[in-house]
Amino acid sequence: EVQLVESGGGLVQAGGSLRLSCAASGLTFDDYAIGWFRQAPGKEREGVSAISNTDSSTYYADSVKGRFTISSDNAKNTVYLQMNSLKPEDTAVYYCAAHQENPYIYIDYLTPTEYADWGQGTQVTVSS
């Protein structure tokens, strides 16, 4: 059974930084892509960033490019999301999710429906 556990959320002032962690178990980490998604109250879940552990490709939503950095520690089965220059509009519950990759099938790495396994989420609140 795939399990994903997020940590690192919290309350931070605008312009501050947070680092989220997603610890994965129950899977062959190198065969998966891990994505970060967020959902603010009253809004749909949106893709923030993703990393493919098969080729280390990274993907970012336009709204976070240049501010957020995704990375993967394959030895620890953990993916990190470093969030800098945070804005109040970044406030949301952040989820990580896992997608088992198939080299013959192209996916949109920032689309939530591509991911089968999800963590419980961690709250990020950015005050103005």
Side-chain angles (χ1 to χ4, degrees), residues 9-13 18 123-127:
L11 173 64
V12 64
Q13 289 189 332
L18 285 173
Q123 177 70 46
V124 171
T125 303
V126 184
S127 63

Side-chain angles (χ1 to χ4, degrees), residues 4-10 18-24 36 78-83 94-96 119-124:
L4 303 168
V5 179
E6 302 97 335
S7 60
L18 285 173
R19 189 178 80 156
L20 304 183
S21 299
C22 173
W36 282 99
T78 299
V79 169
Y80 304 98
L81 185 68
Q82 178 67 44
M83 305 187 296
Y94 283 70
Y95 301 88
C96 66
Q120 81 289 351
T122 186
Q123 177 70 46
V124 171

Side-chain angles (χ1 to χ4, degrees), residues 11-112:
L11 173 64
V12 64
Q13 289 189 332
S17 298
L18 285 173
R19 189 178 80 156
L20 304 183
S21 299
C22 173
S25 61
L27 51 71
T28 303
F29 195 67
D30 291 354
D31 292 342
Y32 278 74
I34 302 295
W36 282 99
F37 299 83
R38 66 187 182 188
Q39 189 165 19
K43 294 189 176 181
E44 292 187 355
R45 191 169 296 189
E46 64 173 353
V48 175
S49 182
I51 185 166
S52 166
N53 286 320
T54 60
D55 65 6
S56 300
S57 298
T58 58
Y59 306 85
Y60 296 94
D62 288 342
S63 59
V64 306
K65 281 180 183 176
R67 300 189 298 122
F68 291 9
T69 302
I70 192 169
S71 61
S72 183
D73 186 337
N74 288 34
K76 295 182 178 180
N77 280 15
T78 299
V79 169
Y80 304 98
L81 185 68
Q82 178 67 44
M83 305 187 296
N84 298 329
S85 302
L86 282 161
K87 305 174 181 180
E89 50 263 44
D90 294 318
T91 296
V93 177
Y94 283 70
Y95 301 88
C96 66
H99 165 81
Q100 188 171 17
E101 301 212 65
N102 182 326
Y104 303 104
I105 299 176
Y106 170 81
I107 70 162
D108 180 345
Y109 283 89
L110 298 182
T111 296

